[in-house]
Amino acid sequence: MSADLEPVVREQQIPPVITIDGPSGSGKGTIAHRLALKLGFHVLDSGALYRLLALAAQQHGVQTDNEKGLEVLAAYLDVQFEDNNGEAMLILEGEDVTQTIRTEEVGAAASRIAALPGVRAALLQRQHAFRELPGLVADGRDMGTVVFPDACLKIFLTASAEARAERRYKQLLQKGFDANLAAILEDIRARDLRDTQRAVAPMKPAADAIVLDSTALGIEAVLQAVIASACKTPSLRAFWDHLGS
Ligand SMILES: Nc1ncnc2c1ncn2[C@@H]1O[C@H](COP(=O)(O)OP(=O)(O)OP(=O)(O)O)[C@@H](O)[C@H]1O
Ligand SMILES: Nc1ccn([C@H]2C[C@H](O)[C@@H](COP(=O)(O)O)O2)c(=O)n1
């Protein structure tokens, strides 16, 4: 943090939170990181926590419907989020699993265990712990509705399932993986359905969220739209004034 930003940060009693919720591939993670970098805020990728728990369950032979077993695993989950030249490095029980947790298989397992109320409750405190000065940008499905209902700015980022599948397809090809667009679209639709239809903390925009459809918008245009909303948010004003000066 630069020395001249210190008085701005000292004025904040409770660290401000910006939430970015939305379905898989809507661009939440990309926008959350870009925005956090601009503001010098921390980042919470809450989906990564569900993915880490799903992977740990797989490694320890805990079934995705074993709620009690998953709750215990969540309570003792040994994870670290480390910074690797500006990129998050995810360590599970001492092993770098940054890439391993990004497969569609782990994503689908994460979506299944995320429907269990005990699992969500067990991960709540870990998510709250990310709220530190100078502030936090949190992305997920229920950041604005359940985890940080008092967030000063709530964005719900969406896009058509087709556009999201296309983005994921390109991302996989860029990383050198084999990919099948039709299969990705099917996975995305199945995940949307599970994430929106579950009884507890379903994915939906908070009543006070700004809904942004990025189907026809590039990353830079989405970032500018979010920044425009952030500039109008009173508790973030001092940060933007500082950045502009
Ligand atoms: N507006 C956009 N236009 C085109 N591509 C985009 C846009 N936003 C994000 N992308 C690309 O789409 C891919 C998925 O983005 P990202 O990982 O940020 O989505 P996400 O919502 O966080 O997904 P998940 O919930 O599955 O983690 C990335 O390759 C990213 O560069
Ligand atoms: N706040 C959150 C974040 C994630 N999940 C679940 C549902 C998702 O399908 C899965 C993986 O998330 P992703 O990494 O794709 O963002 O985890 C959730 O229920 N609540």
Side-chain angles (χ1 to χ4, degrees):
M1 189 198 321
S2 68
D4 50 344
L5 191 52
E6 275 170 21
V8 174
V9 172
R10 264 202 309 275
E11 263 176 39
Q12 308 283 328
Q13 304 269 320
I14 303 172
V17 180
I18 301 172
T19 59
I20 307 185
D21 287 304
S24 180
S26 58
K28 308 178 298 291
T30 305
I31 297 299
H33 276 91
R34 298 273 298 265
L35 186 64
L37 198 65
K38 257 193 178 325
L39 286 163
F41 279 18
H42 301 278
V43 185
L44 165 60
D45 171 2
S46 61
L49 277 176
Y50 288 93
R51 285 173 183 264
L52 286 161
L53 182 59
L55 182 63
Q58 200 183 75
Q59 290 176 345
H60 290 280
V62 178
Q63 299 300 310
T64 52
D65 59 356
N66 177 355
E67 188 164 3
K68 277 280 161 253
L70 289 163
E71 272 179 53
V72 173
L73 203 54
Y76 293 99
L77 198 64
D78 171 17
V79 294
Q80 275 104 42
F81 287 67
E82 289 181 5
D83 183 73
N84 182 21
N85 292 324
E87 298 286 322
M89 184 157 88
L90 302 173
I91 312 289
L92 174 64
E93 295 171 3
E95 188 195 344
D96 179 359
V97 295
T98 314
Q99 298 303 328
T100 321
I101 63 158
R102 294 296 159 196
T103 64
E104 289 304 310
E105 186 199 348
V106 175
S111 170
R112 277 195 290 277
I113 65 166
L116 304 171
V119 166
R120 302 200 75 82
L123 291 180
L124 200 58
Q125 183 46 41
R126 280 184 195 262
Q127 295 173 79
H128 286 158
F130 279 78
R131 187 175 196 163
E132 286 189 76
L133 288 170
L136 176 69
V137 184
D139 93 68
R141 303 294 186 289
D142 62 340
M143 298 294 98
T145 49
V146 175
V147 182
F148 300 109
D150 64 333
C152 60
L153 175 63
K154 299 178 186 179
I155 305 289
F156 189 87
L157 190 55
T158 189
S160 71
E162 289 77 11
R164 291 183 281 124
E166 185 83 31
R167 289 173 190 172
R168 188 68 76 214
Y169 176 70
K170 283 189 187 152
Q171 192 181 32
L172 287 170
L173 293 188
Q174 269 165 12
K175 286 185 179 170
F177 293 115
D178 259 352
N180 177 311
L181 183 58
I184 293 173
L185 181 57
E186 200 178 309
D187 281 349
I188 277 190
R189 288 198 169 124
R191 192 121 72 91
D192 284 357
L193 201 66
R194 241 192 330 261
D195 293 347
T196 50
Q197 300 300 306
R198 65 180 177 229
V200 55
M203 174 176 72
K204 63 174 180 188
D208 51 349
I210 295 166
V211 179
L212 206 54
D213 188 328
S214 75
T215 305
L217 294 177
I219 293 172
E220 202 49 48
V222 176
L223 183 64
Q224 289 312 317
V226 173
I227 288 176
S229 298
C231 286
K232 291 184 211 142
T233 304
S235 51
L236 297 172
R237 177 104 259 152
F239 289 96
W240 294 114
D241 287 350
H242 167 80
L243 289 170
S245 64

